[in-house]
Amino acid sequence: LAQGSTPAPSRTRPLPLALRRKTVVGMGGPAVCGGQPHLCMDTFAICRLVIDGEEWASVEQYHQASKFADKAYRKAIQAVRPRRLGLKLSAAQHGTEVESMGNSEEHERDPIFRALENLYVASRIKFEQNLHLRKQLVETMGPIQAAATCGDAEWQLWNARVLERVREELRPAPERDDELIEGLRLEFQRREDYDEDSACDRLPAPPAGLRRP
């Protein structure tokens, strides 16, 4: 390489769980890839998602509401709107509020809620429906280190795997690593909180011009 030039990021596969477990980041915030934080990968990131005809302001909002069978409480979570505080502050405030509501023990929970499946579906829809976020995601390379969630390192690692899988699935076909996608699918299917057929059934039709693997 010429002096002062920067090598292109490598197309590496996700790090093994045992290795990434040693590098836990702080609570909340955007995921890190290539040594840089990426706001688009934050579950708190404010965007427009339409799922089953209903509009949500973030992956986090939909995910937290989905935990409950209590329809009125689901609507209460859905009704929380982001404040105009700037991109980062608005996402942090809104995400923290709906996450707190999702921790409630006073409302009936959905007995068939599958956390990993729900996060994958919401994340996939987020990046399919928001072109600017999808472009930011697929431009990244290498392992993703997701923000810690509720201090749970194991969930942090699976959050990263969701992002890595969605990123690879949404790459243009000539750039897509089908072997990597299949390996991640098999890992997901070993989890009790994930069902591949159910996840596929829950995904709405992709936007025009976007082809799924």
Side-chain angles (χ1 to χ4, degrees):
L1 292 172
Q3 185 175 1
S5 63
T6 302
S10 61
R11 186 71 171 276
T12 54
R13 294 175 181 275
L15 288 174
L17 290 178
L19 293 179
R20 287 194 283 171
R21 196 183 306 278
K22 298 177 182 178
T23 55
V24 178
V25 297
M27 293 290 288
V32 174
C33 183
Q36 299 295 323
H38 294 273
L39 295 176
C40 70
M41 298 182 190
D42 190 352
T43 59
F44 286 9
I46 303 302
C47 58
R48 183 174 182 268
L49 292 82
V50 178
I51 304 176
D52 296 328
E54 296 183 326
E55 186 170 328
W56 304 86
S58 69
V59 166
E60 192 71 31
Q61 184 180 45
Y62 174 75
H63 186 71
Q64 296 300 335
S66 298
K67 295 177 179 179
F68 298 94
D70 184 332
K71 293 183 179 180
Y73 193 63
R74 284 172 57 99
K75 288 291 185 183
I77 296 176
Q78 186 181 18
V80 177
R81 306 310 301 168
R83 299 176 186 174
R84 299 194 177 192
L85 303 172
L87 192 63
K88 294 181 182 179
L89 284 177
S90 180
Q93 182 276 330
H94 181 261
T96 300
E97 184 174 354
V98 296
E99 183 181 48
S100 177
M101 294 178 73
N103 290 329
S104 172
E105 299 294 339
E106 300 177 1
H107 302 272
E108 183 186 358
R109 297 266 173 163
D110 184 346
I112 61 171
F113 173 74
R114 289 188 286 266
L116 181 61
E117 178 185 319
N118 203 71
L119 179 61
Y120 168 75
V121 168
S123 298
R124 179 67 179 261
I125 292 172
K126 165 188 171 178
F127 288 106
E128 286 191 342
Q129 294 182 354
N130 293 273
L131 177 60
H132 66 294
L133 298 180
R134 183 164 80 243
K135 289 177 66 176
Q136 293 172 32
L137 177 69
V138 301
E139 285 174 356
T140 65
M141 294 285 198
I144 294 172
Q145 184 180 5
T149 305
C150 302
D152 187 337
E154 187 71 18
W155 186 241
Q156 177 195 3
L157 295 171
W158 278 102
N159 192 347
R161 293 220 156 173
V162 166
L163 289 167
E164 288 165 348
R165 175 177 171 178
V166 170
R167 177 180 63 181
E168 202 62 35
E169 289 175 335
L170 294 182
R171 291 194 193 280
E175 303 173 17
R176 197 178 295 147
D177 187 335
D178 292 328
E179 183 180 343
L180 174 57
I181 293 173
E182 185 58 26
L184 286 168
R185 282 177 177 167
L186 291 174
E187 288 192 34
F188 276 52
Q189 290 177 55
R190 295 189 188 105
R191 294 267 304 198
E192 293 183 357
D193 58 349
Y194 183 85
D195 181 278
E196 182 72 20
D197 291 338
S198 174
C200 291
D201 288 344
R202 292 172 62 187
L203 292 172
L210 182 64
R211 297 184 64 183
R212 289 176 177 153

